[in-house]
Every structure is written in structure tokens, then in C-alpha cells.
Amino acid sequence: MNKRANLYLNLFGFVFFILAFIFFILTMRIEGMNKTIYILRNITFLLTFATGSLFILTEILLFMLLKNNYRALYIFYFIAEVVIASLLNIKFMFSFIIVFIVLKMVKDMYRINYVDKIYRPRVFNKYCKMFNIKIKDYPKSKRKSISLRRKDTLLNNKELKTRV
């Protein structure tokens, strides 16, 4: 998978995740008001639904691109995330939001750092060709070779002889 595309997908997923929570809280606050404006309530509900759907779609796409052994690890991580959020929410009300945000950031950082190990590049390329998406990867830097003027050799594991 392309590193730039992975970064964009994880960034968009995180932004949609945060926006879904914000719109969800706004929807709940508007529902609790005595004089609720019908249009405002529907707009916030639709924004919550749209951002939540976009977050879920990016997660499904990234899940489809994972290698099989990392899919199992992802499912285990998701279950652990829900259990930790539930247990902390019992102790501290509304702490699940913070737990989900922190664990989502950890997951996204892992995905960004280990993009070459966890994703199948052929599947991503197939989807890019199918939908005619072109995202260039970051340019690869060339390493400069260091030329030595002197050659050092080790003689009898004791002496170091330098030739010019």
C-alpha cells in the first residue's frame, strides 16, 4: 500500500471519528432542549449519520486491505477496545469517548508506521485501478555512499594497519 494513501485514509478516518462524536453530542444536547427546532435536530442527526458512515467505510476499506494474520489481531484489538471502554465507562461516566479516541490514535499510528508489513499492496493497487485513483507515494530519498580514503585492515586480531 502507498504510504501517502495510508496516511490520508487514517487521517480522514480519525477526523470523521471525532466529527461523529461531536455531532452525536450536539444531537443529544438538542434533543434535551425544551424548544427543539425540528430542522436543526434533523440536520445534526444527518451530519452524525454521514460522518459516522464515512468513518465506518474507511475502517472497512483498511480492514479489507490487511493481511489475514493482522485481521485477527485487529478483531482482537477491537474487542479489547470495547471491553476497556465499557469497564471505564462504568466507573467514570462518558469516559468511553476518551478511551475510543486514545485507542484510535494508537491504532492509526501503528498503521502508519508499519504500512509495509500489515497491508497487501496488490489489493490496494487493484482498487486504485478499479476506481481510477492515482495517489503518488512520497519520493524515496537516495542514500549517498561514503567513500573512504584509507583502508583499514586488522592483522592477527591485534594490530591495526592503515594503508594510504
Side-chain angles (χ1 to χ4, degrees):
M1 178 178 206
N2 190 328
K3 287 186 179 186
R4 182 174 282 183
N6 182 32
L7 181 66
Y8 289 161
L9 284 172
N10 282 305
L11 184 66
F12 290 144
F14 187 73
V15 168
F16 292 141
F17 183 72
I18 297 293
L19 287 175
F21 270 121
I22 290 171
F23 289 133
F24 177 72
I25 291 169
L26 281 174
T27 302
M28 292 298 114
R29 296 291 262 169
I30 290 172
E31 286 290 327
M33 295 171 66
N34 289 335
K35 294 182 179 180
T36 305
I37 301 171
Y38 182 73
I39 294 174
L40 184 62
R41 182 177 65 183
N42 286 339
I43 289 172
T44 58
F45 177 74
L46 289 175
L47 287 173
T48 304
F49 179 74
T51 56
S53 298
L54 288 172
F55 163 69
I56 290 170
L57 288 173
T58 55
E59 286 292 319
I60 288 173
L61 176 65
L62 290 171
F63 181 77
M64 288 174 22
L65 297 174
L66 286 174
K67 293 179 181 175
N68 289 337
N69 52 351
Y70 289 103
R71 284 184 185 182
L73 184 65
Y74 179 82
I75 291 170
F76 175 74
Y77 185 83
F78 180 72
I79 291 170
E81 184 178 14
V82 170
V83 168
I84 291 170
S86 299
L87 291 176
L88 283 176
N89 198 43
I90 291 171
K91 298 283 184 186
F92 309 105
M93 292 299 286
F94 301 109
S95 64
F96 71 94
I97 296 171
I98 296 169
V99 171
F100 280 141
I101 289 172
V102 169
L103 293 177
K104 172 84 171 116
M105 284 175 49
V106 169
K107 182 174 46 175
D108 286 345
M109 284 188 274
Y110 181 79
R111 283 179 182 164
I112 290 169
N113 288 333
Y114 298 106
V115 66
D116 296 330
K117 290 183 181 180
I118 63 175
Y119 291 114
R120 297 180 291 175
R122 291 182 184 159
V123 177
F124 177 73
N125 293 337
K126 181 180 83 171
Y127 286 127
C128 284
K129 286 180 183 176
M130 185 185 313
F131 297 113
N132 198 16
I133 298 171
K134 296 177 183 175
I135 299 175
K136 293 183 180 178
D137 202 359
Y138 291 112
K140 296 181 180 179
S141 61
K142 295 180 181 177
R143 293 186 178 185
K144 296 179 180 178
S145 62
I146 300 171
S147 61
L148 299 175
R149 293 183 183 170
R150 300 178 186 174
K151 291 187 178 179
D152 296 332
T153 58
L154 187 63
L155 299 175
N156 297 333
N157 292 333
K158 293 180 182 176
E159 301 174 5
L160 183 64
K161 184 177 179 182
T162 306
R163 290 189 232 163
V164 180

